[in-house]
Amino acid sequence: MGQDLSPVDLINVQQFAQRVMNLSEYRKNLYEYLVTKMNDIAPNLTSLIGEMVGARLISHAGSLSNLAKCPASTLQILGAEKALFRALKTRGNTPKYGLIFHSSFIGRASTKNKGRMARYLANKCSIASRIDCYSDMSSSIFGEKLREQVEERLDFYDKGVAPRKNLDVMKAAIEEGMTNTVSEEGKDKEKENGDTTAKKSKKKKSKSEADGDAMDLDKPANTAAAEEGTEKKKKKKKHKLEEPQDQEMAANVDGEQDETPKKKKKKNRDAAESVEPKTATEGKKKKKKSKTEADD
């Protein structure tokens, strides 16, 4: 069956298969980029109608601001301008939908209700685009609520279930937005507090580590100083113990010194008393001798 592939044909087949694989990977990357970009730019529109259809509407209008300025009637027939002008020239029926036709809601609607569903969806898309363009808070809460309204409208067309009023739905969306903002602010504050506490703990740890290093470095000096202090204390204690002994010794010496001059005085007195009578007798003897010599 058939002919064997030559080496050249096999190389061409391999290259073609590799290109197909590269293109599929490139398409996946582009789709991921589109999803992230649309969630950042128009989260409500993407949650309502999808990333692909929303991106096509924005690219056809030129920008998100131009799409927000468009009324719902022009947004409904964006992408069907040729059919519109042809119908106006020929005075035929105008188109009911343009790029919105690629949405899943119109495909799910019956043939009778496709026009009505396209008109309702265009209305909600214009609301979502204006919210994305002019709101400071980027959230997809309103888009989710609008999608719920479109689902309810589909059920109303098919089953006759009465949908909710637009006022009630918008009030619920505003309440959810407020609660989400409060919770996000609380989370941000907790993160900030956690960061500050982590920074403080890091600073404390760094300070404690620095103090520990300084203590480790000062340990030998501190031990030497402590040894010197103990030696000084011992010397002081020795001086204190020696001082009373020295005082006692000095007192004893002083007492002995006081006693010795007293004893010396007593001895001098006794000597003087003993000397005085001798001198008196010697004087008498001298007088007698002098008299005897004078008589002779």
Side-chain angles (χ1 to χ4, degrees), residues 36-47:
T36 55
K37 200 72 174 175
M38 285 296 292
N39 286 322
D40 292 335
I41 294 170
N44 293 303
L45 188 63
T46 54
S47 62

Side-chain angles (χ1 to χ4, degrees), residues 256-268:
E256 289 176 356
Q257 286 178 0
D258 294 336
E259 288 176 357
T260 51
K262 285 180 182 179
K263 289 179 181 179
K264 285 182 180 179
K265 284 179 182 180
K266 286 181 180 180
K267 287 180 181 180
N268 290 327

Side-chain angles (χ1 to χ4, degrees), residues 50-296:
E51 295 87 3
M52 296 293 291
V53 181
R56 285 179 182 178
L57 288 172
I58 291 169
S59 66
H60 195 81
S63 64
L64 182 62
S65 61
N66 291 334
L67 184 65
K69 291 173 186 176
C70 292
S73 59
T74 57
L75 195 146
Q76 181 182 352
I77 57 172
L78 275 177
E81 288 84 2
K82 287 184 179 179
L84 174 66
F85 292 123
R86 186 172 61 249
L88 290 172
K89 283 181 181 178
T90 59
R91 294 180 181 181
N93 293 324
T94 56
K96 296 178 180 179
Y97 28 72
L99 293 170
I100 287 178
F101 181 77
H102 298 285
S103 176
S104 63
F105 294 111
I106 295 172
R108 288 161 58 189
S110 62
T111 54
K112 293 180 182 179
N113 300 319
K114 281 187 185 293
R116 289 195 287 178
M117 198 67 222
R119 187 170 59 250
Y120 190 80
L121 184 61
N123 185 10
K124 299 304 176 185
C125 286
S126 65
I127 293 169
S129 62
R130 287 165 190 172
I131 290 169
D132 290 329
C133 184
Y134 299 111
S135 68
D136 297 329
M137 180 180 65
S138 62
S139 64
S140 61
I141 297 167
F142 290 98
E144 292 173 358
K145 294 295 181 182
L146 293 171
R147 189 180 180 88
E148 289 177 2
Q149 280 188 301
V150 176
E151 294 283 350
E152 289 175 0
R153 181 65 60 162
L154 273 174
D155 293 335
F156 173 70
Y157 289 147
D158 294 335
K159 301 174 184 178
V161 180
R164 292 178 293 173
K165 291 184 179 180
N166 192 20
L167 184 63
D168 299 333
V169 175
M170 290 297 109
K171 282 182 179 179
I174 290 167
E175 289 177 358
E176 285 187 8
M178 293 294 289
T179 54
N180 288 331
T181 52
V182 170
S183 63
E184 286 177 359
E185 287 177 358
K187 288 179 181 179
D188 293 334
K189 286 181 181 180
E190 287 178 359
K191 285 181 181 179
E192 289 177 0
N193 294 326
D195 294 333
T196 53
T197 51
K199 287 179 181 178
K200 287 180 180 179
S201 63
K202 285 181 181 178
K203 285 182 181 179
K204 286 181 180 180
K205 285 181 181 179
S206 61
K207 284 182 181 180
S208 63
E209 288 176 358
D211 294 334
D213 295 334
M215 290 292 287
D216 294 333
L217 293 172
D218 295 336
K219 270 183 182 179
N222 290 330
T223 51
E227 290 177 357
E228 289 178 359
T230 52
E231 289 178 358
K232 286 181 180 180
K233 286 180 181 179
K234 288 179 181 179
K235 286 180 181 179
K236 284 181 181 180
K237 285 181 181 179
K238 286 181 181 180
H239 286 302
K240 286 180 181 179
L241 293 171
E242 288 176 358
E243 280 178 0
Q245 292 178 359
D246 294 335
Q247 288 177 0
E248 289 176 359
M249 292 291 290
N252 294 327
V253 171
D254 293 334
E256 289 176 356
Q257 286 178 0
D258 294 336
E259 288 176 357
T260 51
K262 285 180 182 179
K263 289 179 181 179
K264 285 182 180 179
K265 284 179 182 180
K266 286 181 180 180
K267 287 180 181 180
N268 290 327
R269 284 178 185 176
D270 296 334
E273 287 177 356
S274 62
V275 169
E276 282 177 358
K278 287 181 180 179
T279 54
T281 53
E282 286 177 356
K284 287 179 180 180
K285 287 179 179 180
K286 285 179 180 180
K287 284 180 181 181
K288 286 179 180 182
K289 285 181 179 181
S290 61
K291 283 181 180 182
T292 55
E293 288 176 356
D295 292 332
D296 294 335

